[in-house]
Coordinates of all heavy atoms in Angstrom, one line a residue:
M3 N 0.9 -1.2 0.0 CA 0.0 0.0 0.0 C 0.9 1.2 0.0 O 1.8 1.3 0.8 CB -0.9 0.0 1.3 CG -2.0 0.9 1.2 SD -3.2 0.3 0.1 CE -4.6 1.4 0.4
T4 N 0.6 2.2 -0.9 CA 1.4 3.4 -0.9 C 0.8 4.4 0.0 O -0.4 4.4 0.4 CB 1.4 3.9 -2.4 OG1 0.1 4.2 -2.8 CG2 2.0 3.0 -3.3
K5 N 1.7 5.4 0.3 CA 1.2 6.5 1.2 C 0.7 7.7 0.5 O 0.1 8.6 1.1 CB 2.5 7.0 2.0 CG 3.0 5.9 3.0 CD 4.1 6.5 3.9 CE 5.4 6.8 3.1 NZ 6.4 7.3 3.9
G6 N 0.8 7.7 -0.8 CA 0.5 8.8 -1.6 C -0.9 8.8 -2.3 O -1.9 8.7 -1.7
T7 N -0.9 8.9 -3.6 CA -2.1 9.2 -4.4 C -3.2 8.2 -4.2 O -4.4 8.6 -4.0 CB -1.7 9.1 -5.9 OG1 -0.6 9.9 -6.2 CG2 -2.8 9.6 -6.8
S8 N -3.0 6.9 -4.1 CA -4.0 6.0 -3.9 C -4.7 6.1 -2.5 O -5.9 5.8 -2.4 CB -3.5 4.5 -4.1 OG -2.5 4.3 -3.2
S9 N -3.9 6.5 -1.5 CA -4.5 6.7 -0.2 C -5.4 7.9 -0.1 O -6.3 7.9 0.7 CB -3.3 6.8 0.8 OG -2.6 5.6 0.8
F10 N -5.0 8.9 -0.9 CA -5.8 10.2 -0.8 C -7.3 10.0 -1.3 O -8.2 10.7 -0.9 CB -5.1 11.3 -1.5 CG -4.0 11.9 -0.8 CD1 -2.7 11.5 -1.1 CD2 -4.2 12.8 0.2 CE1 -1.6 12.0 -0.4 CE2 -3.1 13.3 0.9 CZ -1.8 12.9 0.6
G11 N -7.5 9.0 -2.1 CA -8.8 8.7 -2.7 C -9.8 8.2 -1.7 O -11.0 8.2 -1.9
K12 N -9.2 7.7 -0.6 CA -10.1 7.1 0.4 C -10.6 8.1 1.5 O -11.3 7.7 2.4 CB -9.3 6.0 1.2 CG -9.0 4.8 0.3 CD -8.1 3.8 1.0 CE -8.0 2.5 0.2 NZ -7.3 2.7 -1.1
R13 N -10.2 9.3 1.3 CA -10.6 10.3 2.3 C -11.9 10.9 2.0 O -12.0 11.8 1.1 CB -9.5 11.5 2.4 CG -8.2 11.0 2.8 CD -7.2 12.2 2.9 NE -5.9 11.8 3.3 CZ -5.0 12.6 3.7 NH1 -5.2 13.9 3.7 NH2 -3.8 12.1 4.0
H14 N -12.9 10.5 2.7 CA -14.3 11.1 2.4 C -15.1 11.3 3.7 O -16.3 11.6 3.6 CB -15.1 10.2 1.4 CG -15.1 8.8 1.8 ND1 -15.9 8.3 2.8 CD2 -14.5 7.7 1.2 CE1 -15.8 7.0 2.8 NE2 -14.9 6.6 2.0
N15 N -14.5 11.0 4.8 CA -15.2 11.3 6.1 C -14.8 12.6 6.6 O -13.7 13.0 6.6 CB -14.9 10.2 7.1 CG -15.4 8.8 6.7 OD1 -16.4 8.7 6.1 ND2 -14.6 7.8 7.0
K16 N -15.8 13.3 7.2 CA -15.5 14.6 7.8 C -15.1 14.5 9.2 O -15.7 13.8 10.0 CB -16.8 15.5 7.7 CG -17.1 15.9 6.3 CD -18.2 16.9 6.3 CE -18.5 17.4 4.9 NZ -19.7 18.4 4.9
T17 N -14.0 15.1 9.6 CA -13.6 15.1 11.0 C -14.1 16.3 11.8 O -14.4 16.2 13.0 CB -12.0 15.2 11.1 OG1 -11.6 16.3 10.4 CG2 -11.4 13.9 10.5
H18 N -14.3 17.4 11.1 CA -14.8 18.6 11.8 C -16.2 19.0 11.2 O -16.4 18.8 10.0 CB -13.8 19.8 11.6 CG -12.5 19.6 12.3 ND1 -11.5 18.9 11.8 CD2 -12.1 20.0 13.6 CE1 -10.5 18.8 12.6 NE2 -10.9 19.5 13.7
T19 N -16.9 19.7 12.0 CA -18.2 20.3 11.6 C -18.3 21.7 12.2 O -17.3 22.1 12.9 CB -19.4 19.4 12.0 OG1 -20.6 20.0 11.4 CG2 -19.6 19.3 13.5
E20 N -19.4 22.4 12.1 CA -19.5 23.8 12.6 C -19.7 23.8 14.1 O -20.6 23.1 14.6 CB -20.7 24.4 11.8 CG -20.7 25.9 12.0 CD -21.7 26.5 11.1 OE1 -21.7 26.4 9.9 OE2 -22.7 27.2 11.6
C21 N -19.0 24.6 14.7 CA -19.1 24.8 16.2 C -20.3 25.7 16.5 O -20.5 26.7 15.8 CB -17.9 25.4 16.8 SG -18.0 25.8 18.5
R22 N -21.1 25.3 17.5 CA -22.3 26.1 17.8 C -22.0 27.4 18.6 O -22.8 28.3 18.6 CB -23.3 25.3 18.6 CG -22.8 24.7 19.9 CD -23.7 23.6 20.4 NE -25.1 24.0 20.6 CZ -25.9 23.3 21.3 NH1 -25.6 22.1 21.7 NH2 -27.2 23.7 21.5
R23 N -20.7 27.5 19.1 CA -20.4 28.8 19.8 C -19.6 29.8 18.9 O -20.0 30.9 18.9 CB -19.5 28.5 21.0 CG -19.1 29.7 21.8 CD -18.7 29.4 23.2 NE -17.4 28.7 23.3 CZ -17.0 28.3 24.5 NH1 -17.6 28.5 25.6 NH2 -15.8 27.6 24.5
C24 N -18.6 29.3 18.2 CA -17.8 30.2 17.4 C -18.1 30.0 15.9 O -17.6 30.8 15.1 CB -16.4 30.0 17.7 SG -15.7 28.5 17.1
G25 N -18.7 28.9 15.5 CA -19.0 28.7 14.0 C -17.9 28.2 13.3 O -17.9 28.2 12.0
R26 N -16.8 27.6 13.9 CA -15.7 27.2 13.2 C -15.5 25.7 13.3 O -16.4 24.9 13.0 CB -14.5 28.0 13.7 CG -14.6 29.4 13.3 CD -13.5 30.3 13.8 NE -12.3 30.1 12.9 CZ -11.3 30.8 12.9 NH1 -11.2 31.9 13.7 NH2 -10.3 30.6 12.1
K27 N -14.4 25.2 13.8 CA -14.0 23.8 13.7 C -14.3 22.9 14.9 O -13.4 22.9 15.8 CB -12.6 23.6 13.3 CG -11.6 24.6 14.0 CD -10.3 24.8 13.3 CE -9.5 25.8 14.0 NZ -8.4 26.3 13.3
Y28 N -15.4 22.3 15.0 CA -15.8 21.4 16.1 C -15.5 19.9 15.7 O -16.0 19.4 14.7 CB -17.3 21.5 16.4 CG -17.8 20.6 17.5 CD1 -17.6 21.0 18.8 CD2 -18.4 19.5 17.2 CE1 -18.0 20.2 19.9 CE2 -18.9 18.7 18.3 CZ -18.7 19.1 19.6 OH -19.1 18.3 20.6
H29 N -14.6 19.3 16.4 CA -14.2 17.9 16.1 C -15.2 16.9 16.5 O -15.6 16.9 17.7 CB -12.8 17.6 16.8 CG -12.1 16.4 16.2 ND1 -12.5 15.1 16.4 CD2 -11.0 16.3 15.4 CE1 -11.7 14.3 15.8 NE2 -10.8 15.0 15.2
I30 N -15.7 16.2 15.6 CA -16.9 15.3 15.8 C -16.6 14.2 16.8 O -17.3 13.9 17.8 CB -17.5 14.7 14.5 CG1 -17.9 15.9 13.6 CG2 -18.6 13.8 14.8 CD1 -18.1 15.4 12.2
Q31 N -15.4 13.5 16.6 CA -15.1 12.4 17.5 C -14.6 12.8 18.9 O -15.0 12.3 19.9 CB -14.0 11.5 16.9 CG -14.6 10.6 15.8 CD -13.5 9.6 15.3 OE1 -12.3 10.0 15.2 NE2 -13.9 8.4 15.0
K32 N -13.8 13.9 18.9 CA -13.3 14.4 20.2 C -14.4 15.2 21.0 O -14.3 15.4 22.2 CB -12.2 15.4 20.0 CG -10.9 14.7 19.5 CD -9.8 15.8 19.5 CE -8.5 15.4 18.9 NZ -7.6 16.5 18.8
K33 N -15.4 15.6 20.2 CA -16.5 16.5 20.8 C -15.9 17.7 21.5 O -16.3 18.1 22.6 CB -17.3 15.7 21.8 CG -18.1 14.6 21.1 CD -19.1 13.9 22.1 CE -20.1 13.0 21.5 NZ -19.7 12.3 20.3
R34 N -15.0 18.4 20.8 CA -14.3 19.6 21.2 C -14.0 20.5 20.1 O -13.6 20.0 19.0 CB -13.0 19.2 22.0 CG -12.3 20.3 22.4 CD -11.8 20.3 23.8 NE -12.6 19.6 24.8 CZ -13.0 20.1 25.9 NH1 -12.8 21.3 26.2 NH2 -13.7 19.3 26.8
C35 N -14.2 21.8 20.2 CA -13.9 22.7 19.2 C -12.4 23.1 19.2 O -11.8 23.4 20.3 CB -14.7 24.0 19.3 SG -14.3 25.2 18.1
G36 N -11.7 23.0 18.1 CA -10.3 23.3 18.0 C -10.0 24.8 18.1 O -8.9 25.2 18.3
S37 N -11.1 25.6 17.9 CA -10.9 27.1 17.8 C -11.2 27.7 19.2 O -10.4 28.5 19.7 CB -11.7 27.7 16.7 OG -11.5 29.1 16.7
C38 N -12.4 27.4 19.7 CA -12.8 28.1 21.0 C -12.8 27.2 22.2 O -12.9 27.7 23.3 CB -14.2 28.7 20.8 SG -15.5 27.5 20.7
G39 N -12.6 25.9 22.0 CA -12.6 24.9 23.1 C -13.9 24.5 23.6 O -14.0 23.8 24.7
Y40 N -15.0 24.8 22.9 CA -16.4 24.4 23.3 C -16.4 22.9 23.4 O -15.7 22.2 22.6 CB -17.4 24.8 22.2 CG -18.8 24.4 22.5 CD1 -19.6 25.2 23.3 CD2 -19.3 23.2 22.0 CE1 -20.9 24.8 23.6 CE2 -20.6 22.9 22.3 CZ -21.4 23.7 23.1 OH -22.7 23.3 23.4
P41 N -17.0 22.2 24.4 CA -17.9 22.7 25.4 C -17.4 23.3 26.7 O -18.1 23.5 27.6 CB -18.7 21.4 25.7 CG -17.8 20.3 25.5 CD -16.8 20.8 24.4
S42 N -16.1 23.5 26.8 CA -15.5 24.2 27.9 C -16.1 25.6 28.1 O -16.3 26.3 27.1 CB -14.0 24.3 27.8 OG -13.4 25.0 28.8
S43 N -16.3 25.9 29.4 CA -17.0 27.2 29.6 C -16.0 28.4 29.3 O -16.4 29.5 29.0 CB -17.5 27.3 31.0 OG -16.4 27.1 31.9
R44 N -14.7 28.1 29.4 CA -13.7 29.2 29.1 C -13.3 29.1 27.6 O -13.2 28.1 27.0 CB -12.5 29.0 30.0 CG -12.7 29.0 31.4 CD -11.5 28.9 32.2 NE -11.8 28.9 33.7 CZ -10.9 29.1 34.6 NH1 -9.6 29.3 34.3 NH2 -11.2 29.0 35.9
I45 N -13.1 30.3 27.1 CA -12.7 30.4 25.7 C -11.2 30.0 25.6 O -10.4 30.4 26.4 CB -12.9 31.9 25.2 CG1 -14.3 32.2 25.2 CG2 -12.3 32.0 23.8 CD1 -15.2 31.6 24.1
R46 N -10.9 29.2 24.6 CA -9.6 28.7 24.4 C -8.7 29.8 23.8 O -9.0 30.4 22.8 CB -9.6 27.5 23.4 CG -8.3 27.0 22.9 CD -8.5 26.0 21.7 NE -7.3 25.6 21.1 CZ -6.7 26.3 20.1 NH1 -7.2 27.4 19.7 NH2 -5.6 25.8 19.6
H47 N -7.6 30.1 24.5 CA -6.6 31.0 24.0 C -5.2 30.7 24.6 O -5.2 30.2 25.8 CB -7.0 32.5 24.3 CG -6.9 32.8 25.8 ND1 -7.9 32.4 26.7 CD2 -6.0 33.5 26.5 CE1 -7.6 32.9 27.9 NE2 -6.5 33.5 27.8
Y48 N -4.2 31.0 23.9 CA -2.8 30.8 24.4 C -2.0 32.0 24.2 O -2.1 32.7 23.2 CB -2.2 29.6 23.6 CG -2.9 28.3 23.9 CD1 -3.8 27.7 23.0 CD2 -2.7 27.6 25.1 CE1 -4.5 26.6 23.2 CE2 -3.4 26.4 25.3 CZ -4.3 25.9 24.4 OH -4.9 24.7 24.7
N49 N -1.0 32.2 25.1 CA -0.2 33.4 25.1 C 0.9 33.3 24.0 O 1.5 34.3 23.6 CB 0.5 33.6 26.4 CG -0.4 34.1 27.5 OD1 -1.4 34.8 27.1 ND2 -0.2 33.8 28.7
W50 N 1.1 32.1 23.4 CA 2.1 31.9 22.4 C 1.6 32.4 21.0 O 2.3 32.5 20.1 CB 2.7 30.5 22.3 CG 1.7 29.4 22.3 CD1 1.4 28.6 23.3 CD2 0.9 29.0 21.2 NE1 0.4 27.7 23.0 CE2 0.1 27.9 21.7 CE3 0.7 29.4 19.9 CZ2 -0.8 27.2 20.9 CZ3 -0.2 28.7 19.1 CH2 -0.9 27.6 19.6
S51 N 0.3 32.7 21.0 CA -0.3 33.2 19.7 C -1.0 34.6 20.0 O -2.2 34.6 20.3 CB -1.3 32.2 19.1 OG -1.7 32.7 17.9
I52 N -0.2 35.6 20.0 CA -0.7 37.0 20.3 C -1.7 37.4 19.2 O -2.7 38.0 19.5 CB 0.4 38.0 20.4 CG1 1.2 37.7 21.7 CG2 -0.1 39.4 20.5 CD1 2.6 37.4 21.5
K53 N -1.4 37.1 18.0 CA -2.3 37.5 16.8 C -3.6 36.8 16.9 O -4.7 37.5 16.7 CB -1.6 37.1 15.5 CG -1.8 38.1 14.4 CD -1.2 37.6 13.2 CE -0.1 38.5 12.7 NZ 0.4 38.1 11.4
A54 N -3.7 35.5 17.3 CA -5.0 34.9 17.5 C -5.8 35.4 18.6 O -7.0 35.5 18.5 CB -4.7 33.4 17.7
K55 N -5.1 35.8 19.7 CA -5.8 36.5 20.8 C -6.4 37.8 20.4 O -7.5 38.2 20.8 CB -4.9 36.7 22.0 CG -4.5 35.4 22.8 CD -3.4 35.7 23.8 CE -3.9 36.5 24.9 NZ -2.8 36.6 25.9
R56 N -5.7 38.5 19.5 CA -6.2 39.8 19.0 C -7.4 39.7 18.2 O -8.3 40.5 18.1 CB -5.0 40.5 18.2 CG -5.2 41.9 18.0 CD -4.1 42.5 17.1 NE -2.8 42.0 17.4 CZ -1.9 41.8 16.5 NH1 -2.1 41.9 15.2 NH2 -0.7 41.4 16.9
R57 N -7.5 38.5 17.4 CA -8.6 38.3 16.5 C -9.9 38.1 17.3 O -11.0 38.4 16.8 CB -8.3 37.1 15.6 CG -7.4 37.4 14.5 CD -7.3 36.2 13.6 NE -6.0 36.2 12.9 CZ -5.1 35.3 13.1 NH1 -5.3 34.3 14.0 NH2 -3.9 35.3 12.5
K58 N -9.8 37.4 18.4 CA -11.1 37.1 19.1 C -11.2 37.7 20.5 O -11.9 37.1 21.3 CB -11.3 35.5 19.2 CG -10.1 34.7 19.6 CD -10.4 33.3 19.4 CE -9.2 32.4 19.7 NZ -9.5 31.0 19.6
T59 N -10.6 38.8 20.7 CA -10.7 39.5 22.0 C -12.0 40.3 22.1 O -12.7 40.4 21.1 CB -9.4 40.4 22.3 OG1 -9.5 40.8 23.6 CG2 -9.4 41.5 21.3
T60 N -12.2 40.8 23.3 CA -13.4 41.6 23.5 C -13.3 42.9 22.6 O -12.3 43.5 22.5 CB -13.5 42.1 25.0 OG1 -13.3 40.9 25.8 CG2 -14.8 42.7 25.3
G61 N -14.4 43.2 21.9 CA -14.4 44.3 21.0 C -14.4 44.0 19.6 O -14.6 44.8 18.7
T62 N -14.1 42.7 19.2 CA -14.1 42.3 17.8 C -15.5 41.8 17.4 O -15.7 41.6 16.2 CB -13.1 41.2 17.6 OG1 -13.3 40.1 18.5 CG2 -11.7 41.7 17.9
G63 N -16.4 41.7 18.3 CA -17.7 41.2 18.0 C -18.8 42.3 18.2 O -18.5 43.5 18.2
R64 N -20.0 41.8 18.5 CA -21.1 42.8 18.6 C -21.1 43.5 20.0 O -21.5 44.6 20.2 CB -22.5 42.1 18.4 CG -22.8 41.8 17.0 CD -24.0 41.0 16.9 NE -25.2 41.6 17.5 CZ -26.4 41.0 17.6 NH1 -26.5 39.8 17.2 NH2 -27.4 41.6 18.2
M65 N -20.7 42.7 21.0 CA -20.7 43.2 22.4 C -22.1 43.7 22.8 O -22.3 44.8 23.3 CB -19.7 44.3 22.6 CG -18.3 43.9 22.5 SD -17.1 45.0 23.4 CE -17.7 46.6 23.1
R66 N -23.1 42.8 22.6 CA -24.5 43.1 22.8 C -24.7 43.6 24.3 O -25.5 44.6 24.5 CB -25.4 41.9 22.6 CG -25.6 41.6 21.1 CD -26.3 40.3 20.9 NE -25.4 39.2 21.2 CZ -25.7 38.0 20.9 NH1 -26.8 37.6 20.4 NH2 -24.8 37.0 21.2
H67 N -24.1 43.0 25.2 CA -24.3 43.4 26.6 C -23.3 44.4 27.1 O -23.7 45.4 27.7 CB -24.2 42.2 27.5 CG -24.3 42.5 29.0 ND1 -25.5 43.0 29.5 CD2 -23.5 42.3 30.0 CE1 -25.3 43.2 30.8 NE2 -24.1 42.8 31.1
L68 N -22.0 44.3 26.7 CA -21.0 45.2 27.2 C -21.1 46.6 26.8 O -20.8 47.5 27.5 CB -19.6 44.6 26.8 CG -18.9 43.8 27.8 CD1 -17.5 43.4 27.4 CD2 -18.8 44.4 29.2
K69 N -21.6 46.8 25.5 CA -21.8 48.2 25.1 C -22.9 48.9 25.9 O -22.8 50.1 26.1 CB -22.0 48.3 23.6 CG -23.2 47.7 23.0 CD -23.1 47.9 21.5 CE -24.3 47.1 20.9 NZ -24.2 47.0 19.4
V70 N -23.9 48.2 26.3 CA -24.9 48.7 27.2 C -24.4 49.1 28.5 O -24.7 50.2 29.1 CB -26.1 47.8 27.3 CG1 -27.2 48.3 28.2 CG2 -26.7 47.6 25.9
V71 N -23.6 48.2 29.1 CA -23.0 48.4 30.4 C -22.1 49.6 30.4 O -22.0 50.4 31.3 CB -22.2 47.1 30.9 CG1 -21.4 47.4 32.1 CG2 -23.2 46.0 31.1
H72 N -21.3 49.7 29.3 CA -20.4 50.9 29.2 C -21.1 52.2 29.1 O -20.7 53.2 29.8 CB -19.5 50.7 27.9 CG -18.5 51.8 27.7 ND1 -17.5 52.0 28.6 CD2 -18.4 52.7 26.8 CE1 -16.8 53.1 28.2 NE2 -17.3 53.5 27.1
R73 N -22.2 52.2 28.4 CA -23.0 53.4 28.3 C -23.6 53.8 29.7 O -23.6 54.9 30.1 CB -24.1 53.2 27.3 CG -25.1 54.4 27.2 CD -26.1 54.2 26.1 NE -26.7 52.9 26.0 CZ -27.7 52.5 26.7 NH1 -28.3 53.3 27.6 NH2 -28.2 51.3 26.5
R74 N -24.1 52.8 30.4 CA -24.6 53.0 31.7 C -23.6 53.4 32.7 O -23.8 54.2 33.6 CB -25.3 51.7 32.2 CG -26.6 51.5 31.5 CD -27.3 50.2 31.9 NE -27.5 50.1 33.3 CZ -27.2 49.0 34.0 NH1 -26.7 47.9 33.5 NH2 -27.4 49.0 35.3
F75 N -22.3 52.9 32.6 CA -21.2 53.3 33.4 C -20.9 54.8 33.3 O -20.7 55.5 34.3 CB -20.0 52.5 33.1 CG -18.7 53.0 33.7 CD1 -18.4 52.8 35.0 CD2 -17.8 53.6 32.9 CE1 -17.3 53.3 35.6 CE2 -16.6 54.1 33.4 CZ -16.3 53.9 34.8
R76 N -20.9 55.3 32.0 CA -20.6 56.7 31.8 C -21.6 57.6 32.5 O -21.3 58.7 32.8 CB -20.6 57.0 30.3 CG -19.3 56.4 29.6 CD -19.3 56.8 28.2 NE -20.5 56.4 27.5 CZ -20.6 56.4 26.2 NH1 -19.6 56.7 25.4 NH2 -21.8 56.0 25.7
N77 N -22.9 57.1 32.6 CA -23.9 57.9 33.3 C -24.1 57.6 34.7 O -25.1 58.0 35.4 CB -25.2 57.7 32.5 CG -25.1 58.3 31.1 OD1 -24.7 59.4 30.9 ND2 -25.5 57.5 30.1
G78 N -23.2 56.8 35.3 CA -23.2 56.5 36.7 C -24.3 55.5 37.1 O -24.7 55.5 38.3
F79 N -24.7 54.6 36.2 CA -25.7 53.6 36.5 C -27.0 54.1 37.1 O -27.5 53.6 38.0 CB -25.1 52.5 37.4 CG -24.0 51.7 36.8 CD1 -22.7 52.0 37.1 CD2 -24.2 50.7 35.9 CE1 -21.6 51.3 36.5 CE2 -23.2 50.0 35.3 CZ -21.9 50.3 35.6
R80 N -27.4 55.3 36.6 CA -28.6 55.9 37.1 C -29.8 55.1 36.6 O -29.9 54.6 35.5 CB -28.7 57.3 36.6 CG -28.8 57.5 35.1 CD -28.8 58.9 34.7 NE -28.8 59.0 33.3 CZ -28.3 60.0 32.6 NH1 -27.9 61.1 33.2 NH2 -28.3 60.0 31.3
E81 N -30.8 55.0 37.5 CA -32.1 54.3 37.2 C -33.3 55.0 37.8 O -33.1 55.6 38.8 CB -32.0 52.8 37.7 CG -31.1 51.9 36.9 CD -31.2 50.5 37.5 OE1 -31.7 50.3 38.6 OE2 -30.7 49.6 36.8
G82 N -34.4 54.9 37.1 CA -35.6 55.4 37.7 C -35.8 57.0 37.6 O -36.6 57.5 38.3
T83 N -35.0 57.6 36.8 CA -35.1 59.1 36.7 C -35.5 59.4 35.3 O -35.5 58.6 34.3 CB -33.7 59.8 36.9 OG1 -32.8 59.2 36.0 CG2 -33.2 59.5 38.3
T84 N -36.1 60.6 35.1 CA -36.5 61.1 33.8 C -35.5 62.2 33.4 O -35.1 63.0 34.2 CB -37.9 61.6 33.8 OG1 -38.0 62.6 34.9 CG2 -38.9 60.5 34.1
P85 N -35.2 62.3 32.1 CA -34.3 63.4 31.7 C -34.9 64.7 31.7 O -36.2 64.9 31.6 CB -34.0 63.0 30.2 CG -35.1 62.1 29.8 CD -35.6 61.4 31.0
T86 N -34.1 65.8 32.0 CA -34.7 67.1 32.0 C -35.1 67.5 30.6 O -34.4 67.2 29.6 CB -33.6 68.1 32.5 OG1 -32.4 68.0 31.7 CG2 -33.2 67.9 33.9
P87 N -36.3 68.2 30.5 CA -36.7 68.6 29.1 C -35.8 69.6 28.4 O -35.3 70.5 29.1 CB -38.1 69.2 29.4 CG -38.1 69.5 30.8 CD -37.2 68.6 31.5
R88 N -35.6 69.3 27.1 CA -34.7 70.2 26.4 C -35.4 71.5 26.0 O -36.6 71.5 25.7 CB -34.2 69.5 25.1 CG -33.3 68.3 25.4 CD -32.8 67.9 24.1 NE -32.4 66.5 24.1 CZ -32.1 65.7 23.0 NH1 -32.3 66.3 21.9 NH2 -31.8 64.5 23.2
K89 N -34.7 72.6 25.9 CA -35.3 73.8 25.5 C -35.3 73.8 24.0 O -34.4 73.5 23.3 CB -34.4 75.0 26.0 CG -34.5 75.2 27.5 CD -33.8 76.5 27.9 CE -33.9 76.7 29.4 NZ -33.2 77.9 29.8
R90 N -36.5 74.2 23.5 CA -36.7 74.2 22.0 C -36.2 75.6 21.5 O -36.7 76.6 21.9 CB -38.1 74.0 21.6 CG -38.6 72.6 22.2 CD -39.9 72.2 21.6 NE -39.7 71.7 20.3 CZ -40.7 71.5 19.4 NH1 -41.9 71.7 19.7 NH2 -40.4 71.0 18.2
G91 N -35.3 75.6 20.6 CA -34.8 76.9 20.0 C -35.7 77.3 18.8 O -36.7 76.6 18.4
P92 N -35.3 78.4 18.2 CA -36.1 78.9 17.0 C -35.9 77.9 15.8 O -34.9 77.2 15.7 CB -35.5 80.2 16.6 CG -34.1 80.2 17.3 CD -34.3 79.3 18.5
A93 N -37.0 77.7 15.0 CA -37.0 76.8 13.9 C -35.9 77.2 12.9 O -35.8 78.4 12.6 CB -38.4 76.7 13.3
A94 N -35.3 76.2 12.3 CA -34.3 76.5 11.3 C -34.9 77.0 10.0 O -36.0 76.6 9.7 CB -33.5 75.2 11.0
P95 N -34.3 78.0 9.3 CA -34.9 78.5 8.1 C -35.0 77.4 7.0 O -34.1 76.6 6.9 CB -34.0 79.6 7.7 CG -32.7 79.3 8.3 CD -33.0 78.6 9.6
S96 N -36.1 77.4 6.3 CA -36.3 76.4 5.2 C -35.4 76.7 4.0 O -35.2 77.8 3.6 CB -37.8 76.5 4.8 OG -38.0 75.6 3.8
T97 N -34.9 75.6 3.4 CA -34.1 75.8 2.2 C -34.9 75.6 1.0 O -34.4 75.8 -0.1 CB -33.0 74.7 2.3 OG1 -33.5 73.4 2.4 CG2 -32.0 75.0 3.5
A98 N -36.2 75.2 1.1 CA -37.0 75.0 -0.1 C -37.3 76.4 -0.7 O -37.5 77.4 -0.1 CB -38.3 74.3 0.3
V99 N -37.4 76.4 -2.0 CA -37.7 77.6 -2.8 C -39.2 77.8 -2.7 O -40.0 76.9 -3.0 CB -37.2 77.5 -4.2 CG1 -37.6 78.7 -5.0 CG2 -35.7 77.2 -4.2
A100 N -39.7 79.0 -2.4 CA -41.1 79.3 -2.3 C -41.7 79.4 -3.7 O -41.1 80.0 -4.6 CB -41.3 80.6 -1.6
K101 N -42.9 78.9 -3.9 CA -43.5 78.9 -5.2 C -44.4 80.2 -5.4 O -45.1 80.5 -4.4 CB -44.4 77.7 -5.4 CG -43.6 76.4 -5.5 CD -44.6 75.2 -5.7 CE -43.8 73.9 -5.8 NZ -44.6 72.8 -5.9
P102 N -44.3 80.9 -6.5 CA -45.1 82.1 -6.6 C -46.5 81.9 -6.9 O -47.0 80.9 -7.3 CB -44.4 82.8 -7.9 CG -43.7 81.8 -8.6 CD -43.4 80.7 -7.6

């Protein structure tokens, strides 16, 4: 049996599928994602790959919750208050041409 061309024809089984947490490489037999480490609760990252850490650090995604927390932090986490009403200034002049 050769190690080359004839052996490559037998490769038709998938080892990886889509991960439900990161959408990348979930190993079917190991039941572990090679990219994020799912099902582990901690995200997989290593200090020997600074560039990989930069790709998936906080701020590279939507930050659905954190951007709300940051906005509330800037306002001192105030709750149950109503904003002071704004003063209405004079109306801006119209740029439309008047019809005769």
